[in-house]
Amino acid sequence: MRVTESERVPNLYIKALVILEDFLAQALANKDAKKKMSSSNAKALNSMKQKLEKNNKQYEDLIRRVQIKRRCRLNRLLRLCVLCHILPRPVLPLLYLVQFL
């Protein structure tokens, strides 16, 4: 089913947009990797960023809600780790798990 045909936007689609936006932000934050990219890859990355921003304007409120929920889940998980005296050494796997909760 296409997103435009349904009455409301599927949550999975919004979560995928949030994950893609986070991944793109990480890729753009890495300045060394950006400098080493070929010109065609850099153009593709920038065009993907522009298209994602244009698409996300339609679903701005829904994306914001999903991001807030993800942050709350991460904070709860980190507090639980601290309370249980588990040091969250590998934070990346925790972030990966939180996005599916």
Side-chain angles (χ1 to χ4, degrees), residues 24-43 45-46 49:
L24 191 60
Q26 285 178 347
L28 291 171
N30 191 353
K31 300 291 182 184
D32 294 333
K34 260 179 82 173
K35 288 180 183 177
K36 293 179 184 178
M37 270 187 212
S38 65
S39 63
S40 61
N41 285 347
K43 285 180 187 177
L45 183 67
N46 286 330
K49 175 187 165 195

Side-chain angles (χ1 to χ4, degrees), residues 16-26 52 56 63 67:
L17 288 177
V18 170
I19 292 168
L20 187 59
E21 190 175 23
D22 290 345
F23 178 76
L24 191 60
Q26 285 178 347
L52 187 65
N56 286 358
I63 289 173
Q67 288 173 337

Side-chain angles (χ1 to χ4, degrees), residues 9 11 14-15 17-18 21 55-69 71:
V9 182
N11 290 335
I14 299 298
K15 286 180 183 179
L17 288 177
V18 170
E21 190 175 23
N55 183 50
N56 286 358
K57 285 182 183 178
Q58 298 174 4
Y59 311 112
E60 204 169 323
D61 295 334
L62 296 172
I63 289 173
R64 192 174 308 119
R65 281 190 221 148
V66 170
Q67 288 173 337
I68 290 170
K69 286 180 184 178
R71 283 190 203 117

